Amino acid sequence: MAETTYRALRAEVQKVANSVARDGETIRGIGQRADQNAGHVAYVADQLANLEVDNNTTGEAKDVARIMRGLSTAAIAAASAADNVRGAARAADAQAQKSHEGIDEQVNAMGVPMARASFYTEE
């Protein structure tokens, strides 16, 4: 079994935090574009209605705009959740550093390497 080290764990948590932050921003951008497009589609639906285009066509355009706004709302909620995950990962990293940094420094400063834990078990 591979051992997880303090430094490897912190590096992985930081990597996850950065990845989630990037993905959250991507999702947020998609949501904003969907909202803009929904506005454009709704405008077109209104213009079609002003031209007295049949109700089925204008209704479908308005339905598309409503669905796109729903997509935008969901995307922005997902981006907010990603922000929460990023914050939790950063907090976990800070807590690990606060709790264990001194231990890691002392172990690395030792002139004699530590034996594996199995050395200390009873026969």
Side-chain angles (χ1 to χ4, degrees), residues 24-90:
E25 288 306 312
T26 299
I27 292 168
R28 184 173 282 109
I30 290 168
Q32 290 168 344
R33 283 192 304 277
D35 189 56
Q36 290 170 351
N37 289 334
H40 295 309
V41 171
Y43 175 77
V44 168
D46 289 341
Q47 295 302 313
L48 291 172
N50 288 339
L51 295 173
E52 297 180 1
V53 173
D54 67 287
N55 287 339
N56 289 337
T57 302
T58 56
E60 287 174 0
K62 288 179 182 181
D63 287 346
V64 168
R66 190 184 76 254
I67 291 167
M68 292 174 81
R69 283 210 170 91
L71 171 65
S72 172
T73 300
I76 291 169
S80 294
D83 292 343
N84 292 340
V85 170
R86 177 188 60 196
R90 287 185 176 164

Side-chain angles (χ1 to χ4, degrees), residues 10 13-14 16-18 21 83-97:
R10 284 200 57 218
V13 169
Q14 291 168 5
V16 167
N18 291 334
D83 292 343
N84 292 340
V85 170
R86 177 188 60 196
R90 287 185 176 164
D93 179 46
Q95 182 61 47
Q97 183 178 16

Side-chain angles (χ1 to χ4, degrees), residues 110 112-120:
M110 295 175 72
V112 178
M114 295 293 294
R116 292 202 179 275
S118 59
F119 174 80
Y120 300 103

